[in-house]
Amino acid sequence: MRKLIGFAALALFTLTACGDSEPAATPSEKGLTVVAASSWEAGFAKAAGATDITVIVPPGVQHAADYDPKPSDLAKVAAADFVLVAPFQGFAAKLKEAAGSNAKVIEVMLDNAPATVKDQVGKIAAEFGTTSAAQTWTASFDTEYAALKKRVTDATGGTPPVIVSQAFVAWAADLTGAAPAGVFGPEPPTAAQLSELAAKKPSIVLDNSAMPGGDALANVEAKRVSINNFPDQGYDLLAMYRANADTLMAALA
């Protein structure tokens, strides 16, 4: 009898020890909750593998960086696992404070240049524990971006346009196979800067849909193309690239 009791106790101890030694569920296994300051950060989060994403700034708000979060917005932040913000957003400090000790705040470099996007998505995925999903997305991104760039460069007829661009959308020039001949903003260009930009004789001016500044170049004879950095309500970065490629092709036609 004593042997049986001893065996049972040993078995119970073994099962308990095995249970204690099991690894904790990773964020990707338990389902992480992400709050993104805007649909731009949400696009990065989705590409990194997140599926439960709440956005603070409603899509379509023109000056997202100046948005003033409501108390209900801050309550969402407090319940999140991760909060994604950009340093230049004026309300970033409020989101960090609302996150407290419960959520991890990740600062995102918002720039749609392909190399930057892939770098940021990889870093975010490392925090989420979703690196495999991010790698899958990155492979599809490389394939689709190359196809979009070919379509746009084919539309140029082999002669890349001369482009001047607002600073935050200069990445879009790459789709045409050209580098910007000049960049303006985000501050209003001075008279001397306007003269320098006009001297480039651009055929296209890339303007930022969220903070237009191309009107300052009204005397420059060139097509205005409005580039939108923000994904729509689906938070699909690839859809954002497709839409901007279509806009560029229409201007080049």
Side-chain angles (χ1 to χ4, degrees), residues 26-29 32 44-50 118-139:
T26 64
S28 58
E29 291 170 340
L32 57 87
F44 281 56
K46 184 174 181 178
K118 291 188 287 186
D119 175 70
Q120 293 296 294
V121 166
K123 288 179 179 178
I124 294 167
E127 296 284 0
F128 288 175
T130 54
T131 296
S132 178
Q135 290 173 339
T136 299
W137 181 87
T138 298

Side-chain angles (χ1 to χ4, degrees), residues 10-23:
L10 178 61
L12 178 61
F13 174 80
T14 303
L15 288 172
T16 304
C18 288
D20 288 344
S21 65
E22 288 180 0

Side-chain angles (χ1 to χ4, degrees), residues 73 87 96 112 136 145 154 161 172 190:
D73 294 328
K96 290 178 184 178
N112 285 328
T136 299
Y145 186 85
D154 285 350
T190 64

Side-chain angles (χ1 to χ4, degrees), residues 91-109:
F91 56 87
K94 288 185 179 180
L95 297 189
K96 290 178 184 178
E97 183 179 353
S101 60
N102 296 322
K104 181 164 186 178
V105 178
I106 302 175
E107 289 195 347
V108 184
M109 182 185 298

Side-chain angles (χ1 to χ4, degrees), residues 34-97:
V34 176
V35 169
S38 73
S39 67
W40 201 346
E41 286 99 338
F44 281 56
K46 184 174 181 178
T51 56
D52 185 357
I53 306 170
T54 299
V55 172
I56 297 298
V57 182
V61 173
Q62 188 169 24
H63 298 288
D66 299 327
Y67 181 77
D68 188 17
K70 303 185 291 293
S72 58
D73 294 328
L74 300 179
K76 297 172 186 175
V77 173
D81 294 311
F82 294 92
V83 178
L84 271 58
V85 299
F88 67 80
Q89 290 164 326
F91 56 87
K94 288 185 179 180
L95 297 189
K96 290 178 184 178
E97 183 179 353

